Amino acid sequence: MPELAQGRLKVGAPVAIIDIGSNSVRLVAYEGQTRSPTPIFNEKVLCGLGRNVLTTGKLASEAMEKALSALARFRVLCQVMKIEEVRVLATAAARDAANGAEFLARCEQVTGQPVELISGKREAKLSALGVASGIWKPDGVVGDLGGGSLELIEVKGQKLGSGVTLPLGGLALQDRSGGSVKKAVKLVRDAFEGLPQIEAAKGRAFYAVGGTWRALARLHMKQRGYPLHVMHNYVIPARDAVDFARLVERVEAETLDSIESISAARRPLLAYGALVLEQIIRMAKPSEVVVSAMGVREGLLFEQLDDAQRAEDPLLAMARELNVLRSRSPRHGEELCAWTDRFMASTSLDETAEDKRLRHAACLLADIGWRAHPDYRGEQSLNIIAHAGFAGVDHPGRAYLALAVAYRHLGLSDDQVSPRLRELASPRMIDRARILGAAMRVAYLVSAGMPGVLPRTPLHCAHGQLQVDVPRDLAALANDRLFNRLKALARIIGRTPKFQVGQ
């Protein structure tokens, strides 16, 4: 039996990051150091290290012991996974506590690794790099809310502004306010007054990082019956976010709809996370709140990439990986990108740069469901794509990718394609997904999913006709079944179908 599972990529040795935060201690192991790293193991323990640090000045003994126990387990897990490169980070609680240095020395003994105590400004930078790694061309302000602190930093693409750290984490606010949400609101307002990072968010996106804000977003998702359960790049309009935050602030956490999806240890912090978010929106006036599942850990990995790797498109990088792992022929997926390039260029359809990158991603993902039973390939492909751990794509983009590949397998009728998923995409995107799905139906019938055929059988429009050129040695491919698929595509773009054989 092969040592390396065939479902794993050859991307070098796995790496792991242990994050000793104010509320949780977490281990995330990644398949390798890549542009779009895939976690192979993820575990957290809510230890509450930051609880009462601002009033007592120290980390509590019980919290430290719980954290050290988790770290001992994480060390063994890394040994089991044969991970040699392990980075250990510590943040606000260890920075602020008088016994922080003593605790970190014990952490180093338990983990067998040096612990990097990162400053608030470095934490802000890494959070912003994490957002830049996972959201395509971000433009706004990143806020990373932990148990002990809130980091704010401006981001535009991969260019970062100056960061600031504030003692406004959930545990810190709970501690400083004496458990009074009303007092906590004043603390937050005073801290935000005149802050450049707050001013920089006006009319732009606010990128929310951190477990408490993800928990709030999960509740929001469930409240509105959202069709996807993917947290990354979930968007909440600013006005809607304020209304929901106020709801969370004023009611008991246990009465919130779907509260059982949130761990009991995190529930007391929801009101504090909500009030911080509300004040950011009221004072900064961002256009929307965008949830990022990527933060400090992913930022640390992104920081270690060279310039060429950072410049890669994370969506296309992961689509290529899935193409390699799951398609009959990865090269065919690449050829499909070029084949549809020529087709789109020959039509009168407008296509933006964003449209093109999504189309290429869909082409790379078109054959990932081929091992399923024919009756379920469309459904399986749709579910894999809609819920995959993609970076660099928003939820409407996910819907487009999933729908295009579903149309390829299921046909061009909407009867069998998820109506809930279609809610996420605009009519224009659905139309483009149907056109691409129809083109794929032609491509896979003419090529059998094998490389070398599509470059010889181009699809293009000319003189009001939609034409497939078939060389003489492949003339037998031009049968009625292929013509019917060509006709279906021609119908939806307003052309007459035609085979050109033998040239």
Side-chain angles (χ1 to χ4, degrees), residues 83 186 224:
I83 299 176
K186 186 177 188 309
R224 62 185 286 202

Side-chain angles (χ1 to χ4, degrees), residues 182-340:
K182 187 175 181 180
K183 288 181 181 178
V185 170
K186 186 177 188 309
L187 290 170
V188 174
R189 285 178 179 165
D190 290 346
F192 286 167
E193 194 66 44
L195 206 61
Q197 291 81 4
I198 292 293
E199 298 297 324
K202 187 172 182 178
R204 301 163 73 192
F206 178 74
Y207 300 99
V209 178
T212 298
W213 278 341
R214 287 196 299 273
L216 286 172
R218 187 176 301 113
L219 290 176
H220 185 269
M221 238 180 210
K222 289 184 176 293
Q223 184 185 65
R224 62 185 286 202
Y226 195 69
L228 280 184
H229 295 163
V230 175
M231 191 57 58
H232 186 61
N233 235 322
Y234 178 60
V235 176
I236 309 175
R239 180 69 260 173
D240 193 9
V242 165
D243 292 342
F244 185 68
R246 287 182 61 81
L247 169 68
V248 174
E249 289 172 55
R250 75 170 185 261
V251 304
E252 290 291 330
E254 299 304 320
T255 67
L256 291 169
D257 186 34
S258 302
I259 190 63
E260 67 280 354
S261 66
I262 308 301
S263 66
R266 195 177 291 282
R267 293 175 197 176
L269 302 182
L270 291 175
Y272 296 97
L275 73 88
V276 173
L277 184 61
E278 181 191 354
Q279 295 310 312
I280 286 173
I281 297 171
R282 291 193 181 281
M283 298 179 72
K285 295 180 171 54
S287 58
E288 60 190 11
V289 176
V290 182
V291 179
S292 173
M294 298 183 180
V296 168
R297 291 178 296 274
E298 291 74 22
L300 183 64
L301 295 178
F302 190 62
E303 185 181 54
Q304 296 174 40
L305 300 177
D306 60 36
D307 290 344
Q309 289 174 307
R310 285 198 200 187
E312 289 180 38
D313 185 323
L315 171 63
L316 294 180
M318 187 166 185
R320 285 195 171 93
E321 290 175 354
L322 282 174
N323 184 32
V324 168
L325 290 172
R326 303 188 68 129
S327 297
R328 281 171 288 187
S329 168
R331 186 156 68 91
H332 182 272
E334 299 285 354
E335 290 177 354
L336 185 59
C337 293
W339 189 80
T340 58

Side-chain angles (χ1 to χ4, degrees), residues 128 139-142 152-156 159-162 197 200 204:
D139 181 14
V141 170
V142 175
L152 295 170
I153 183 169
E154 187 178 0
V155 61
K156 187 174 179 62
K159 184 178 179 182
L160 312 182
S162 60
Q197 291 81 4
R204 301 163 73 192

